[in-house]
Amino acid sequence: MEEVKSIEEIESEIVDEFSLFDSWDEKYEYIIDLGKKPAPLEEQYKKDENKVKGCQSTVWLVADYRNGRVYFKAESNSVIVQGLISLLIRVLSGQQPNDIVAAKLDFLNEIGMMTHLAQTRSNGLLAMVKQMKNYALAYKLKHEGV
């Protein structure tokens, strides 16, 4: 069985990756590149109840619970937002519900995301984080009790 890295370990890797870039433009390009990589979400998931509320762009986010861990998939109509949700999925997908709910996600500040995004984008980013934590909390309550 493969070893699962902790949320903090993955965050640290992302901070290291972003430290290689000298300018915010280069970081932005990297986020855009990340947004071009994921496979599109299956059509059956593209419905209103899977849309993240509070995002200017359309973002569909779904979660699955297997073997005590939560797995996320998402798609956005904006390549930048797709890159952002890809980072969040990299950090949170495959983690246990408790860890997701408790995650501080400090890497978002450390890589400058919260200061360099437009207000509407950072609100959308926070909405995606909140939705992912809500999924984790629901799975925690359903499978582990209170």
Side-chain angles (χ1 to χ4, degrees), residues 14-78:
I14 293 171
V15 169
D16 289 347
E17 287 166 21
F18 272 81
S19 72
L20 300 173
F21 303 112
D22 294 325
S23 70
W24 183 248
D25 286 344
E26 291 173 343
K27 291 178 182 181
Y28 223 53
E29 283 300 315
Y30 182 61
I31 294 168
I32 289 170
D33 285 345
L34 291 174
K36 294 175 181 172
K37 290 183 177 152
L41 196 62
E42 296 88 346
E43 283 301 316
Q44 76 222 40
Y45 297 120
K46 293 182 181 178
K47 46 190 172 192
D48 275 351
E49 68 243 32
N50 294 329
K51 278 188 184 175
V52 176
K53 314 288 182 269
C55 269
Q56 247 187 339
S57 307
T58 300
V59 180
W60 291 280
L61 175 67
V62 293
D64 185 28
Y65 183 87
R66 298 188 306 274
N67 303 321
R69 297 185 180 276
V70 183
Y71 297 88
F72 296 101
K73 292 193 289 189
E75 184 179 331
S76 174
N77 64 348
S78 158

Side-chain angles (χ1 to χ4, degrees), residues 66-141:
R66 298 188 306 274
N67 303 321
R69 297 185 180 276
V70 183
Y71 297 88
F72 296 101
K73 292 193 289 189
E75 184 179 331
S76 174
N77 64 348
S78 158
V79 71
I80 291 188
V81 175
Q82 183 69 49
L84 295 173
I85 192 75
S86 295
L87 283 173
L88 292 174
I89 288 173
R90 180 172 157 196
V91 172
L92 298 176
S93 194
Q95 300 292 336
Q96 295 177 335
N98 275 344
D99 296 334
I100 295 169
V101 171
K104 293 191 175 31
L105 302 175
D106 292 332
F107 84 100
L108 294 170
N109 284 320
E110 289 180 46
I111 64 176
M113 201 58 62
M114 301 315 283
T115 50
H116 284 86
L117 287 177
Q119 185 68 44
T120 52
R121 284 239 193 272
S122 52
N123 288 346
L125 182 61
L126 294 173
M128 292 186 282
V129 169
K130 181 179 177 188
Q131 184 65 43
M132 293 172 96
K133 287 186 174 220
N134 283 345
Y135 275 127
L137 184 61
Y139 284 125
K140 172 183 158 50
L141 295 174

